[in-house]
Structures are given as structure tokens and as C-alpha cells.
Amino acid sequence: MKLLSKFTTLLASVIFAIASLAAVASEPKSADSKNCGCKCCVGKEVCCCHTEDEPASTPPAAAPIEKEKTAGHALKGVIVEIMAEQKGLLVKHEEIPGVMKAMTMLLRVDEAALKSATKNAAVTGSLVRRGAVWWLDDVKFAVK
């Protein structure tokens, strides 16, 4: 009987924990949320698609942003989603040996690339990290 009581208590704790997680998952995201809510990011506090804002030293939005002359890494992938409000593309890309595993992530692109992008198009370019943000330079598209 004592074992049954312990089991019942444990089961109640598990049910409470699951209910708590479900309640948190169903809460609407706040404006400052670092999780975009896409399939690959469900249940994560900070998703793989999130990029931090540009550092404070970045020129104002009105001034053109000069690209740093940084060696990039060749990237091949497919556009999963166009995220205009974040000035980027959600790209499912192949492994970049020595840099990162294959994954789906948000990559910032320039205005011309953002306007030319289409969902499900194959994309290639040069992956570059500027501060805390991943950019895709030299973007080229091909319909898949």
C-alpha cells in the first residue's frame, strides 16, 4: 500500500509538470521573445533562427551599412521562409565542414537579395559572421 501511495504521488507530480509545460508553451510570445516559434525552435528559450540586434556601434539605419571584408564560408541551401521583418531568410543549409552542422537558421541578407528571394528556391552564397549576426553575402538563387 505504501508503494502505491508513493507511485500515486510521483504520477501526480509528473502530470503537474506536463500541465505546467503545456501552459507555458501555449502562452503568447512577448515582443522581446528570442524564439520565432518555427518547428525547429519549439520548446527552446532561444531559437536557432534568432539573431541578436546589431551592436550599438552600427551606423544608423539611414546610413548605408558597409560590409566588412571578411572571408566567408561557402553555403548551399534552400529558402524555407522569407522573413522580411527581420531582414533575412530562413535557410535550411548543408553542413559547412569545420564551421557548423547542417541546420535551418536565419541569415541576414541585403535588400536586393531579400526582394529577389522566393520560398523553396535553392540558394548559395558566402556565410559571414558580423558581430553576433550571421549574414549571407554574394547570394545567388536557383528555382528548385
Coordinates of all heavy atoms in Angstrom, one line a residue, residues 13-56:
S13 N 2.9 14.3 -9.6 CA 4.0 15.3 -9.9 C 4.3 15.4 -11.4 O 4.4 16.4 -11.9 CB 5.2 14.9 -9.1 OG 5.0 14.9 -7.7
V14 N 4.3 14.2 -12.0 CA 4.6 14.2 -13.5 C 3.5 14.9 -14.2 O 3.7 15.7 -15.1 CB 4.8 12.7 -13.9 CG1 4.8 12.6 -15.4 CG2 6.1 12.1 -13.3
I15 N 2.2 14.6 -13.9 CA 1.1 15.2 -14.5 C 1.1 16.7 -14.3 O 0.9 17.5 -15.3 CB -0.2 14.6 -14.0 CG1 -0.3 13.1 -14.5 CG2 -1.4 15.4 -14.5 CD1 -1.5 12.3 -13.9
F16 N 1.4 17.2 -13.1 CA 1.5 18.6 -12.9 C 2.6 19.2 -13.7 O 2.4 20.3 -14.3 CB 1.8 18.8 -11.4 CG 1.9 20.3 -11.1 CD1 0.8 21.1 -11.0 CD2 3.2 20.9 -10.8 CE1 1.0 22.5 -10.7 CE2 3.3 22.2 -10.5 CZ 2.2 23.0 -10.5
A17 N 3.8 18.6 -13.8 CA 4.9 19.1 -14.6 C 4.5 19.2 -16.1 O 4.8 20.2 -16.7 CB 6.1 18.2 -14.4
I18 N 3.8 18.2 -16.6 CA 3.4 18.2 -18.0 C 2.4 19.3 -18.2 O 2.5 20.1 -19.2 CB 2.9 16.8 -18.4 CG1 4.0 15.8 -18.5 CG2 2.1 16.9 -19.8 CD1 3.5 14.4 -18.7
A19 N 1.5 19.5 -17.3 CA 0.4 20.5 -17.5 C 1.1 21.9 -17.4 O 0.7 22.8 -18.2 CB -0.6 20.4 -16.4
S20 N 2.1 22.1 -16.6 CA 2.8 23.4 -16.5 C 3.5 23.7 -17.7 O 3.5 24.8 -18.2 CB 3.8 23.3 -15.3 OG 3.1 23.2 -14.1
L21 N 4.2 22.7 -18.3 CA 4.9 22.9 -19.6 C 3.9 23.2 -20.7 O 4.2 24.1 -21.5 CB 5.7 21.6 -20.0 CG 7.0 21.4 -19.1 CD1 7.6 20.0 -19.5 CD2 8.0 22.5 -19.4
A22 N 2.8 22.6 -20.7 CA 1.8 22.8 -21.8 C 1.3 24.3 -21.6 O 1.1 25.0 -22.6 CB 0.7 21.8 -21.7
A23 N 1.1 24.7 -20.4 CA 0.6 26.1 -20.2 C 1.6 27.1 -20.7 O 1.3 28.1 -21.3 CB 0.3 26.3 -18.7
V24 N 2.9 26.9 -20.4 CA 4.0 27.8 -20.8 C 4.1 27.8 -22.3 O 4.2 28.8 -22.9 CB 5.3 27.4 -20.2 CG1 6.5 28.1 -20.8 CG2 5.3 27.6 -18.7
A25 N 4.0 26.6 -23.0 CA 4.1 26.5 -24.4 C 2.9 27.2 -25.1 O 3.1 27.7 -26.2 CB 4.1 25.1 -24.8
S26 N 1.8 27.3 -24.5 CA 0.6 27.9 -25.1 C 0.5 29.4 -24.9 O -0.3 30.1 -25.5 CB -0.7 27.2 -24.7 OG -0.9 27.5 -23.3
E27 N 1.4 29.9 -24.0 CA 1.4 31.4 -23.8 C 1.8 32.1 -25.0 O 2.7 31.7 -25.7 CB 2.3 31.7 -22.6 CG 1.8 31.2 -21.3 CD 2.8 31.6 -20.2 OE1 3.8 32.2 -20.4 OE2 2.6 31.2 -19.0
P28 N 1.2 33.3 -25.3 CA 1.7 34.0 -26.4 C 3.1 34.6 -26.2 O 3.4 34.9 -25.1 CB 0.6 35.2 -26.5 CG 0.0 35.2 -25.2 CD 0.1 33.9 -24.6
K29 N 3.8 34.7 -27.3 CA 5.2 35.2 -27.2 C 5.2 36.6 -26.9 O 4.3 37.4 -27.5 CB 6.0 34.9 -28.5 CG 6.2 33.5 -28.8 CD 7.1 33.3 -30.0 CE 6.5 34.1 -31.1 NZ 7.1 34.0 -32.4
S30 N 6.1 37.1 -26.1 CA 6.2 38.5 -25.9 C 7.0 39.2 -27.0 O 7.6 38.5 -27.8 CB 6.9 38.8 -24.5 OG 8.2 38.4 -24.6
A31 N 6.9 40.5 -27.1 CA 7.5 41.2 -28.2 C 9.0 41.0 -28.1 O 9.7 41.1 -29.1 CB 7.2 42.7 -28.1
D32 N 9.6 40.8 -26.9 CA 11.0 40.6 -26.8 C 11.5 39.2 -26.8 O 12.6 38.9 -26.4 CB 11.5 41.4 -25.6 CG 11.0 40.8 -24.3 OD1 10.0 40.1 -24.3 OD2 11.5 41.2 -23.2
S33 N 10.6 38.3 -27.2 CA 10.9 36.8 -27.2 C 12.0 36.6 -28.1 O 12.1 37.2 -29.2 CB 9.6 36.0 -27.6 OG 10.0 34.7 -27.7
K34 N 12.9 35.6 -27.8 CA 14.0 35.3 -28.6 C 13.7 33.9 -29.3 O 14.7 33.3 -29.7 CB 15.3 35.2 -27.8 CG 15.7 36.5 -27.2 CD 17.0 36.5 -26.5 CE 17.4 37.9 -26.0 NZ 18.7 37.9 -25.6
N35 N 12.5 33.6 -29.4 CA 12.1 32.3 -30.1 C 11.1 32.7 -31.2 O 10.0 33.2 -30.9 CB 11.5 31.3 -29.1 CG 11.3 30.0 -29.8 OD1 10.9 29.9 -30.9 ND2 11.6 28.9 -29.0
C36 N 11.4 32.4 -32.4 CA 10.5 32.7 -33.5 C 9.2 31.8 -33.6 O 8.3 32.2 -34.2 CB 11.2 32.7 -34.8 SG 11.7 31.1 -35.4
G37 N 9.3 30.7 -33.0 CA 8.1 29.8 -32.9 C 8.1 28.8 -34.1 O 7.1 28.1 -34.2
C38 N 9.1 28.7 -34.9 CA 9.1 27.8 -36.0 C 9.3 26.4 -35.5 O 9.6 26.2 -34.4 CB 10.2 28.1 -37.1 SG 11.9 27.8 -36.5
K39 N 9.1 25.4 -36.4 CA 9.1 24.0 -36.0 C 10.4 23.6 -35.3 O 10.4 22.8 -34.3 CB 8.9 23.1 -37.2 CG 7.5 23.1 -37.7 CD 7.3 22.2 -38.9 CE 5.9 22.4 -39.5 NZ 5.8 21.7 -40.7
C40 N 11.5 24.1 -35.8 CA 12.8 23.6 -35.3 C 13.1 24.3 -33.9 O 14.0 23.9 -33.2 CB 14.0 23.9 -36.2 SG 14.3 25.7 -36.5
C41 N 12.3 25.3 -33.5 CA 12.6 26.1 -32.3 C 11.6 25.8 -31.2 O 11.7 26.4 -30.1 CB 12.6 27.5 -32.6 SG 13.9 27.9 -33.9
V42 N 10.6 24.9 -31.4 CA 9.6 24.7 -30.4 C 10.2 24.2 -29.1 O 11.1 23.3 -29.2 CB 8.6 23.7 -30.9 CG1 7.6 23.2 -29.8 CG2 7.8 24.3 -32.1
G43 N 9.9 24.8 -28.0 CA 10.4 24.3 -26.7 C 11.8 24.9 -26.3 O 12.3 24.7 -25.3
K44 N 12.4 25.7 -27.2 CA 13.7 26.3 -26.9 C 13.5 27.7 -26.4 O 12.6 28.4 -26.9 CB 14.6 26.3 -28.1 CG 15.0 25.0 -28.7 CD 15.8 25.1 -29.9 CE 16.1 23.8 -30.5 NZ 16.9 24.0 -31.8
E45 N 14.3 28.1 -25.5 CA 14.2 29.5 -25.0 C 14.7 30.5 -26.0 O 14.1 31.5 -26.3 CB 15.1 29.7 -23.7 CG 15.0 31.1 -23.1 CD 15.8 31.2 -21.8 OE1 15.9 30.2 -21.1 OE2 16.2 32.3 -21.6
V46 N 15.9 30.2 -26.6 CA 16.4 31.0 -27.7 C 16.5 30.1 -28.9 O 17.2 29.1 -28.9 CB 17.8 31.6 -27.3 CG1 18.4 32.3 -28.5 CG2 17.7 32.5 -26.1
C47 N 15.9 30.4 -30.0 CA 15.8 29.5 -31.1 C 17.1 29.7 -32.0 O 17.8 30.6 -31.9 CB 14.6 29.8 -31.9 SG 14.5 31.3 -32.8
C48 N 17.2 28.7 -32.9 CA 18.3 28.7 -33.8 C 18.2 29.8 -34.9 O 19.2 30.1 -35.6 CB 18.5 27.3 -34.5 SG 17.0 26.8 -35.4
C49 N 17.0 30.3 -35.1 CA 16.7 31.3 -36.1 C 17.0 32.7 -35.6 O 17.0 33.7 -36.4 CB 15.3 31.2 -36.6 SG 14.9 29.6 -37.1
H50 N 17.1 32.9 -34.3 CA 17.1 34.2 -33.7 C 18.5 34.9 -33.9 O 19.5 34.2 -33.7 CB 16.9 34.2 -32.2 CG 16.9 35.5 -31.5 ND1 15.9 36.5 -31.7 CD2 17.9 36.1 -30.8 CE1 16.3 37.5 -31.0 NE2 17.4 37.3 -30.4
T51 N 18.6 36.1 -34.3 CA 19.8 36.8 -34.3 C 19.7 38.0 -33.4 O 18.6 38.6 -33.3 CB 20.1 37.3 -35.7 OG1 19.0 38.1 -36.2 CG2 20.3 36.2 -36.7
E52 N 20.8 38.3 -32.7 CA 20.8 39.5 -31.8 C 20.8 40.7 -32.7 O 21.2 40.7 -33.8 CB 22.0 39.5 -31.0 CG 22.1 38.3 -30.0 CD 21.0 38.3 -28.9 OE1 20.6 39.4 -28.5 OE2 20.6 37.3 -28.5
D53 N 20.3 41.8 -32.1 CA 20.4 43.1 -32.8 C 21.8 43.5 -33.1 O 22.7 43.1 -32.4 CB 19.7 44.2 -32.0 CG 18.2 44.0 -31.8 OD1 17.6 43.3 -32.8 OD2 17.6 44.4 -30.8
E54 N 22.0 44.3 -34.1 CA 23.3 44.8 -34.4 C 23.9 45.5 -33.2 O 23.2 46.1 -32.4 CB 23.2 45.8 -35.6 CG 22.7 45.2 -36.8 CD 23.8 44.5 -37.6 OE1 25.0 44.8 -37.5 OE2 23.5 43.6 -38.4
P55 N 25.3 45.5 -33.0 CA 25.9 46.2 -31.9 C 25.6 47.7 -32.0 O 25.4 48.2 -33.1 CB 27.4 45.9 -32.2 CG 27.5 44.7 -33.1 CD 26.2 44.7 -33.8
A56 N 25.7 48.4 -30.9 CA 25.4 49.8 -30.9 C 26.3 50.6 -31.8 O 26.0 51.7 -32.2 CB 25.6 50.3 -29.4

